[in-house]
Amino acid sequence: MAIVSHAVFLYQWTQDHYMIGINDGLAQMMPFKHLLYEQYTNGEFFYSFSFGLGSGIYSGLSYYFSTSTVFWLSAAIVFLLEKIRLIGSPDVLFWANAAVFISVLRLSVVLFITTRLFMYMNIPRRYAFIGASFYGVSGMFFRHTAYWEFFADAFLWLPLLILGVEKIFRESKPGWFLFAVAISLINNFYFSYINFLLAGIYILVRLFIPLAAQEIEKKKAFLLFLFSGIIGFGISAVAFIPAVYAYLNNHRPPFSQDIPWFDFSDDILYTSRIVVIPAIFVVLLFSAFLYRNKLYRLFTVLGLISIALHHSPIAGSIFNGLSAPQNRWEYFLSLMVGGTVAVGLANLHKLTLRQFAVAAFFTIVAYVLWALGDEKLDFSTKYSIFMAISLPITLLLMFSFVKSKKRGFKFALIGFLFVWLVGSVNIYQVEKLLVDGELSKVNKELMTGPDYDDPEIRKLLEEIQQRDDGITYRIEWMEGVRNNTPLVQDFRGLSAYSSILNKNLLYFYLYDLEIDMGRESVSRYATLGNRANLHSLLQGKYVIAEKNVPGADVLSESREIENVPYGFTKIMESENFTVYENDNLLPFARSASTVYQERQLAKSHPLAREHAMLDGIVLDDAKNTEPLPDVEEQATEFTIETHGSQYNKDILVVEEEIGGIDLVPAASPPEGDFYVSFHLENQAHDQGFNLAVNNYLTSRKSNQSVYKTFVDDITIRIPSAERIKIRLPKGTYNLSDLQVFTESYDVLKSQKDVDSGIKGLDIGGHKVKLEYANSNNDDFLSINVPYEKGWNASVNGQKTEVLKANYAFIGVPLEKGNNIVELTYRPPFFYPTLIVSIISLLLGFWFVFIGTSRGNKSTH
């Protein structure tokens, strides 16, 4: 069943097309699998210096695969195949090839578990399997798998949770529930939240619909749920708590848009991309006699509740942690549909012709009303036609069986249901995923070509690595908007994209330094805005720039596209790209006695903050601080001239297709750069836009986008020029707080000449060890490793405090003379939670195999 359900994607695989989403699938799922496999097989489970500027992967990637049992098993099998030389070293393309086969195996297990659940609930085997198929062979399973593969793992754990619930109600046995809680929390904290909400709804309804002749008392059931849930949580602690800590230390602007209570625009009978209700489920809903069956009543009540919740964006927001409404939870509806169909088919022989006629009538009315009420319904698609045709066929086969009671017609109905499942889900794969979701574009040519893993870039990277054997330098390069390009092309970069990122780094980019990333969007950081000070501070040694970017001059009115940081020299080029090297690179670790405090600099311009990091060290909390760097003399007076626009009282109205204002400096442009700062908001309700400042181009999200940062204070660095042209598309904008600062880089040049005290450096896995000659007897050492909880430090063998330095990086106190500094990373709370997990595991064995058995004996 799993194989034929994947028929479309298995055929696609033979054509070098992959079951991978073109956006998050290629940008996150494949790079993270590649990274984690490399880390795990090298014995490194906790930290990677290749993930952005460096990050804890055990906790930071727990939302994805780092604690996923499905990925662990996949990685173990692949590792074994690699060791016996049946496959080569896996890369991103390998994981894309493997995706459909992993999905087939996952669906097989989903079908098996769900079938066993329904059989345990006293549904005959054949009907149990049909019900399981309605759950697993659903559009949502394939949507989840293709776009966000780890989402599909939730299909495994939900039926296990329901089985655990039933085991407690029917037999007072908490083992399965305890196991399901633990494995859910270990695998994914996000979907464990969703599944626990769903299990809670199930338990709440189940309390009012007893299924067995003798069931556990409600009070005892509550205690078993409570104790087994607590023990299951304890077992998961070593995975769950570091994961949740990482989530809480992420930064994402709160969803501030209005969320309606109900939205009936999604057509769940014909066209929904989330879940389509099969015709037989609707017919059974109107079969009144079936409601005498308690199990049927349970499934239909929960199914109807799920349908109501499907049409409630508020419910979607609750299931998504009170954020933007999402429909990721609706595999629960498929499970309830499956249960309803399974019980209905098992009791179909009891249906009379009159009862069927009533159910058929109301079903037809429902389908007609749904069709008339959906203005967007289009029967030109195979999917909607298939759904419409399935109704008369279902009614005909049901009528034939109800009238004749011959088994042959029932087998024909069952056969048709399997055909419907396989047919509908394969049509879904074609129309909803390959065409509408653009998965048809994801092929070998794309993944090995210039839009993802450019061979021309690969060659340049190899030349850089041959030229430079350093272990700390970073390269600024990104394919388009794919922030995880460094993971794909195996180099140390300056970008990352993940739903969970180090909050300190995000604040560093968005607020502390106001670094423009070339594209506004949450959950990512990229580039250093061509700001030479930051490149030098953060080991940004090389920049790869594309020549003649197509369309880049539309707003900027300039064909001088290559806008590289100050002090970078061209060292090599290829047909389409140029490589520049930083002439002012600063050491990986720098000592300082000049100390500034973050609060001191709170009202300073980002340029002053750069100078503070260059001249000394900025600490989160410091007692003895120095006077602030003065950049006010670098402020430049200017006049404002409009261009195809009107500008009055901070309101800019662009009247032409492209327009804006020119800032004309009062003095001749100095050597160096301009830092142009302003506050910019689009007054359009829902319209993204591009922004150009001279030849620097960036983009901003619409006010309605769930990916908007709402960080509207912008600082852009450009080479000094006679005019500063700010260009925007036609529209109305709030443009205020205009400032222009000149940067001659005198501070950077003075720091470049300071001798480095680094005498030895070793970076690997989760450790950094360096020997530093503190010849100036400075008080602190700043190190280009992102600050996050989990780092421990020692200086000359003595444990010392890990400081947050330069807004987002690590600092340590120094001693006079020679210093041996060691940094070691472990996930937050790793050892305490490991102890809790071990104790809870032992307690769980006692509770399941000894404690409850004694309780049951005493009850008897």
Side-chain angles (χ1 to χ4, degrees):
M1 189 66 181
I3 291 170
V4 296
S5 300
H6 284 81
V8 166
F9 281 117
L10 286 169
Y11 171 76
Q12 289 289 108
W13 178 80
T14 66
Q15 306 301 306
D16 287 333
H17 284 68
Y18 309 119
M19 193 178 181
I20 303 297
I22 194 168
N23 295 316
D24 285 346
L26 287 179
Q28 294 188 88
M29 307 305 135
M30 296 304 100
F32 291 158
K33 279 192 166 189
H34 174 57
L35 169 68
L36 288 171
Y37 181 82
E38 291 291 315
Q39 291 281 133
Y40 289 177
T41 53
N42 287 323
E44 296 295 343
F45 301 95
F46 302 127
Y47 196 88
S48 173
F49 290 94
S50 298
F51 183 23
L53 292 169
S55 177
I57 54 172
Y58 179 83
S59 51
L61 292 180
S62 58
Y63 179 68
Y64 299 91
F65 302 109
S66 67
T67 58
S68 164
T69 53
V70 174
F71 177 72
W72 289 347
L73 289 170
S74 303
I77 294 169
V78 170
F79 182 69
L80 178 62
L81 294 175
E82 183 184 4
K83 287 304 175 184
I84 62 177
R85 301 183 185 277
L86 285 180
I87 61 172
S89 180
D91 55 9
V92 174
L93 185 62
F94 170 86
W95 290 106
N97 272 288
V100 68
F101 300 102
I102 294 172
S103 182
V104 168
L105 292 173
R106 181 192 291 108
L107 180 55
S108 301
V109 178
V110 168
L111 293 175
F112 175 78
I113 292 173
T114 312
T115 300
R116 300 302 301 184
L117 166 64
F118 287 154
M119 289 173 63
Y120 178 76
M121 299 174 81
N122 298 319
I123 300 174
R125 184 190 300 268
R126 72 178 64 162
Y127 305 120
F129 180 65
I130 294 171
S133 297
F134 272 95
Y135 171 58
V137 185
S138 59
M140 177 162 280
F141 177 86
F142 289 88
R143 173 181 169 80
H144 276 5
T145 302
Y147 291 151
W148 315 278
E149 184 186 335
F150 65 95
F151 282 15
D153 291 353
F155 276 75
L156 293 164
W157 316 131
L158 178 62
L160 281 180
L161 273 170
I162 303 301
L163 176 62
V165 170
E166 288 297 323
K167 280 280 188 178
I168 288 178
F169 274 123
R170 294 167 186 258
E171 302 179 56
S172 302
K173 292 182 178 180
W176 277 105
F177 185 76
L178 188 155
F179 172 75
V181 168
I183 198 168
S184 296
L185 289 167
I186 289 170
N187 272 265
N188 190 280
F189 69 91
Y190 173 72
F191 273 99
S192 64
Y193 163 75
I194 292 176
N195 278 346
F196 293 165
L197 283 181
L198 296 173
I201 294 171
Y202 182 90
I203 292 170
L204 186 62
V205 175
R206 182 68 171 78
L207 287 170
F208 296 95
I209 306 179
L211 300 178
Q214 291 184 338
E215 291 196 345
I216 189 174
E217 295 177 359
K218 292 180 180 179
K219 181 178 179 181
K220 186 177 179 183
F222 173 78
L223 291 175
L224 285 178
F225 284 130
L226 178 64
F227 290 138
S228 54
I230 291 173
I231 294 171
F233 169 79
I235 292 171
S236 74
V238 71
F240 178 75
I241 290 178
V244 171
Y245 180 84
Y247 168 75
L248 294 175
N249 280 271
N250 176 49
H251 169 67
R252 187 164 182 152
F255 186 76
S256 58
Q257 301 166 24
D258 293 334
I259 303 174
W261 278 96
F262 292 102
D263 180 0
F264 294 98
S265 60
D266 192 43
D267 190 339
I268 62 173
L269 292 185
Y270 293 101
T271 61
S272 175
R273 62 189 175 88
I274 306 299
V275 59
V276 170
I277 303 298
I280 190 169
F281 176 77
V282 183
V283 177
L284 292 172
L285 278 181
F286 291 114
S287 302
F289 88 98
L290 284 172
Y291 288 89
R292 300 169 192 165
N293 184 300
K294 292 182 178 180
L295 183 57
Y296 178 84
R297 198 185 311 156
L298 174 69
F299 285 130
T300 51
V301 167
L302 288 166
L304 290 170
I305 290 173
S306 301
I307 291 172
L309 295 178
H310 167 82
H311 291 290
S312 173
I314 286 288
S317 174
I318 292 171
F319 278 108
N320 196 35
L322 301 178
S323 185
Q326 295 287 358
N327 301 97
R328 295 164 181 162
W329 62 272
E330 298 195 24
Y331 49 91
F332 182 76
L333 173 55
S334 296
L335 182 62
M336 296 305 108
V337 167
T340 300
V341 171
V343 178
L345 288 176
N347 292 275
L348 196 62
H349 60 282
K350 301 176 183 177
L351 186 65
T352 67
L353 198 58
R354 182 177 178 279
Q355 290 167 337
F356 169 74
V358 172
F361 171 77
F362 283 109
T363 300
I364 293 170
V365 169
Y367 270 80
V368 171
L369 290 177
W370 239 264
L372 294 174
D374 185 358
E375 297 178 355
K376 298 179 181 179
L377 181 59
D378 181 7
F379 284 110
S380 65
T381 65
K382 293 178 182 178
Y383 194 64
S384 56
I385 292 173
F386 192 82
M387 296 305 157
I389 292 175
S390 69
L391 174 61
I393 297 175
T394 300
L395 292 175
L396 177 62
L397 291 172
M398 289 184 71
F399 169 77
S400 301
F401 173 71
V402 171
K403 189 175 188 304
S404 67
K405 303 298 182 183
K406 292 182 179 180
R407 295 179 66 189
F409 286 112
K410 191 168 189 179
F411 288 142
L413 174 61
I414 292 171
F416 168 72
L417 292 178
F418 281 119
V419 170
W420 182 88
L421 280 166
V422 174
S424 64
V425 84
N426 277 284
I427 294 172
Y428 180 94
Q429 292 168 43
V430 172
E431 293 192 350
K432 303 293 185 181
L433 298 180
L434 290 178
V435 178
D436 294 347
E438 298 186 330
L439 265 69
S440 59
K441 297 180 180 179
V442 182
N443 55 20
K444 185 176 182 179
E445 182 180 359
L446 170 67
M447 293 190 67
T448 58
D451 293 326
Y452 190 70
D453 188 3
D454 194 336
E456 188 177 348
I457 292 292
R458 281 276 190 181
K459 186 176 180 182
L460 289 173
L461 291 171
E462 289 174 5
E463 292 181 20
I464 292 173
Q465 290 165 1
Q466 291 171 3
R467 169 193 176 97
D468 193 329
D469 59 359
I471 60 174
T472 63
Y473 70 83
R474 293 190 174 272
I475 303 170
E476 182 170 302
W477 163 249
M478 198 169 73
E479 292 280 8
V481 296
R482 299 196 182 278
N483 297 59
N484 287 324
T485 295
L487 301 182
V488 175
Q489 297 182 332
D490 297 306
F491 66 92
R492 293 183 295 273
L494 291 163
S495 61
Y497 171 34
S498 173
S499 290
I500 296 177
L501 287 171
N502 184 335
K503 177 174 68 176
N504 299 303
L505 283 174
L506 292 174
Y507 271 69
F508 179 80
Y509 268 84
L510 296 173
Y511 307 106
D512 299 324
L513 276 301
E514 294 181 11
I515 304 169
D516 186 82
M517 307 180 205
R519 174 190 179 217
E520 182 189 19
S521 189
V522 298
S523 299
R524 67 195 77 207
Y525 58 83
T527 86
L528 292 170
N530 289 334
R531 285 155 67 169
N533 291 332
L534 297 180
H535 274 276
S536 297
L537 280 163
L538 300 181
Q539 295 285 289
K541 189 173 184 179
Y542 300 99
V543 167
I544 301 177
E546 187 172 0
K547 301 176 181 177
N548 303 318
V549 181
D553 60 321
V554 173
L555 280 176
S556 63
E557 300 177 347
S558 169
R559 295 188 180 275
E560 183 193 349
I561 301 306
E562 292 184 9
N563 183 353
V564 297
Y566 177 88
F568 276 63
T569 303
K570 185 195 309 188
I571 58 169
M572 66 179 76
E573 64 180 328
S574 61
E575 180 181 353
N576 297 298
F577 302 96
T578 306
V579 180
Y580 297 87
E581 183 177 10
N582 189 353
D583 296 331
N584 299 304
L585 193 69
L586 300 178
F588 174 74
R590 302 169 61 238
S591 62
S593 288
T594 303
V595 179
Y596 305 98
Q597 191 178 47
E598 285 187 19
R599 279 177 290 181
Q600 272 185 293
L601 293 154
K603 296 183 179 180
S604 299
H605 188 269
L607 182 57
R609 299 172 192 174
E610 289 184 8
H611 285 184
M613 292 188 290
L614 287 168
D615 187 49
I617 186 171
V618 180
L619 296 179
D620 185 26
D621 190 19
K623 295 179 180 178
N624 301 315
T625 58
E626 301 293 331
L628 294 178
D630 186 9
V631 296
E632 290 305 315
E633 73 273 9
Q634 296 174 236
T636 298
E637 297 293 328
F638 55 84
T639 57
I640 299 176
E641 297 179 4
T642 58
H643 180 90
S645 67
Q646 295 184 27
Y647 184 55
N648 186 33
K649 295 183 178 179
D650 296 337
I651 300 299
L652 174 66
V653 180
V654 178
E655 299 169 324
E656 298 182 3
E657 288 303 311
I658 299 295
I661 59 173
D662 290 355
L663 310 182
V664 184
S668 299
E671 179 186 355
D673 290 339
F674 282 142
Y675 278 50
V676 186
S677 298
F678 46 86
H679 180 90
L680 177 66
E681 293 182 50
N682 189 358
Q683 293 191 358
H685 177 69
D686 187 8
Q687 177 184 320
F689 62 97
N690 288 332
L691 161 70
V693 180
N694 285 11
N695 62 347
Y696 184 89
L697 184 67
T698 186
S699 66
R700 309 292 294 173
K701 295 291 184 186
S702 80
N703 294 324
Q704 295 300 307
S705 173
V706 297
Y707 301 108
K708 183 171 177 60
T709 64
F710 294 98
V711 178
D712 298 316
D713 291 325
I714 300 170
T715 295
I716 290 175
R717 166 267 174 195
I718 58 170
S720 60
E722 296 287 345
R723 283 176 175 264
I724 301 168
K725 303 176 182 180
I726 300 176
R727 295 293 180 264
L728 295 157
K730 190 174 183 179
T732 303
Y733 306 86
N734 182 312
L735 177 62
S736 60
D737 302 329
L738 286 160
Q739 292 179 295
V740 178
F741 287 83
T742 62
E743 172 59 307
S744 61
Y745 295 104
D746 291 339
V747 177
L748 173 60
K749 292 171 185 176
S750 68
Q751 292 299 315
K752 180 199 171 184
D753 297 331
V754 175
D755 292 335
S756 170
I758 299 176
K759 297 167 63 178
L761 177 62
D762 183 28
I763 299 177
H766 56 279
K767 293 182 178 180
V768 176
K769 183 176 181 180
L770 63 90
E771 184 177 358
Y772 194 87
N774 188 12
S775 56
N776 294 325
N777 293 329
D778 289 325
D779 296 323
F780 299 99
L781 185 71
S782 62
I783 307 170
N784 281 332
V785 174
Y787 175 88
E788 61 179 289
K789 191 174 182 65
W791 282 107
N792 291 293
S794 67
V795 175
N796 294 330
Q798 298 296 313
K799 187 174 181 179
T800 191
E801 184 181 4
V802 178
L803 305 170
K804 182 159 81 81
N806 293 341
Y807 296 100
F809 299 91
I810 284 178
V812 294
L814 281 179
E815 298 177 359
K816 294 181 180 180
N818 205 51
N819 287 256
I820 304 296
V821 179
E822 293 189 57
L823 300 175
T824 306
Y825 179 85
R826 283 290 182 270
F829 315 110
F830 181 74
Y831 290 116
T833 56
L834 180 61
I835 294 170
V836 171
S837 291
I838 293 171
I839 293 173
S840 299
L841 189 61
L842 296 173
L843 182 60
F845 273 106
W846 177 87
F847 183 67
V848 171
F849 296 108
I850 300 175
T852 53
S853 62
R854 286 180 179 175
N856 290 335
K857 286 178 182 179
S858 63
T859 301
H860 290 305

